[in-house]
Amino acid sequence: DKGVLHKFDEATAARVDNFISTYQKYYSIPGVSLALVKDGKMIYHKTYGVRNAVTGKRVDDNTLFEAASITKPVFAYVVQRLAERGTIDLDKPLYQYLPYADIEYDDRYKLMTARHVLTHRTGFPNWRSMNDDGKLNLRFTPGTDFNYSGEGFEYLKLVVEKITGKKVEQVLQEEVITPIGLYH
């Protein structure tokens, strides 16, 4: 019964616009692009503000936004597809596919699986550069705790490239981008 998509009309659109504009001002967000999708169809799209605060150029339908770690869930989807086809086993230790010289000094890394990477339970820090010595380490035994980690995804990316014989960009293109028509 709740939510803006159940009965989306001009009044609802005005409420959405007011909400976005209010928070955009409150948090000093220069530009926003919003799309509402219902049943696989875009029912509302609007842009707000500027894409360049210096020039004042407005956000438009072609404005590209940095989206932080948005590739992680897309890559996770690809790994799941590979697992469904038996190309990768989510529970097989990654070192059996590809030893990782950067962490070989700690045998606990041999417990690390794709499932650990996808659930941020590798034991790796987010980025090795955040360590005082700049080296990769394990903060805990893989699978025993949670810590958001880009490093884990970097290792899994290397494994996917090894087992597919393709660069990860090509795998993403073949598994996601082309099939769903994600060209922008």
Side-chain angles (χ1 to χ4, degrees), residues 3 10 14 17 42 58 64 76 161 163 176:
E10 286 184 34
D17 291 341
M42 185 166 53
R58 309 269 320 151
L64 297 178
E161 289 180 340
I163 63 179
V176 178

Side-chain angles (χ1 to χ4, degrees), residues 2 16 84 110 130 141 152 169:
K2 297 187 181 196
V16 168
E84 287 173 0
K110 291 182 176 178
M130 296 174 162
T141 301
E169 294 82 5

Side-chain angles (χ1 to χ4, degrees), residues 106-125:
D106 188 332
D107 275 346
R108 295 180 299 165
Y109 104 95
K110 291 182 176 178
L111 300 170
M112 194 178 302
T113 67
R115 189 178 307 276
H116 292 141
V117 172
L118 299 177
T119 58
H120 294 282
R121 296 180 307 126
T122 61
F124 285 151

Side-chain angles (χ1 to χ4, degrees), residues 76 78-98 110-118 155-156 159-160 163-164:
V78 167
V79 172
Q80 293 285 355
R81 286 180 53 91
L82 295 174
E84 287 173 0
R85 290 198 301 270
T87 305
I88 189 170
D89 180 341
L90 296 178
D91 298 309
K92 179 177 178 177
L94 294 178
Y95 88 96
Q96 292 180 8
Y97 293 108
L98 179 69
K110 291 182 176 178
L111 300 170
M112 194 178 302
T113 67
R115 189 178 307 276
H116 292 141
V117 172
L118 299 177
Y155 182 23
L156 184 55
V159 169
V160 167
I163 63 179
T164 63

Side-chain angles (χ1 to χ4, degrees), residues 30 44 49 60 87 99 110 115 119 121 126 162 167 171 177 181:
Y44 187 70
D60 64 25
T87 305
K110 291 182 176 178
R115 189 178 307 276
T119 58
R121 296 180 307 126
N126 188 18
K162 168 84 173 168
K167 298 301 278 179
V171 177
I177 295 168

Side-chain angles (χ1 to χ4, degrees), residues 3-64:
V4 298
L5 296 180
H6 291 288
K7 181 183 171 223
F8 195 82
D9 56 20
E10 286 184 34
T12 306
R15 288 196 328 268
V16 168
D17 291 341
N18 182 56
F19 176 86
I20 297 295
S21 296
T22 299
Y23 279 88
Q24 183 182 3
K25 287 176 193 153
Y26 182 80
Y27 289 108
S28 300
I29 301 168
V32 175
S33 179
L34 171 74
L36 298 177
V37 178
K38 181 178 183 180
D39 298 327
K41 294 184 176 149
M42 185 166 53
I43 63 166
Y44 187 70
H45 175 253
K46 186 166 180 181
T47 60
Y48 309 79
V50 297
R51 62 175 151 185
N52 186 315
V54 175
T55 66
K57 190 161 186 173
R58 309 269 320 151
V59 173
D60 64 25
D61 292 352
N62 294 311
T63 301
L64 297 178

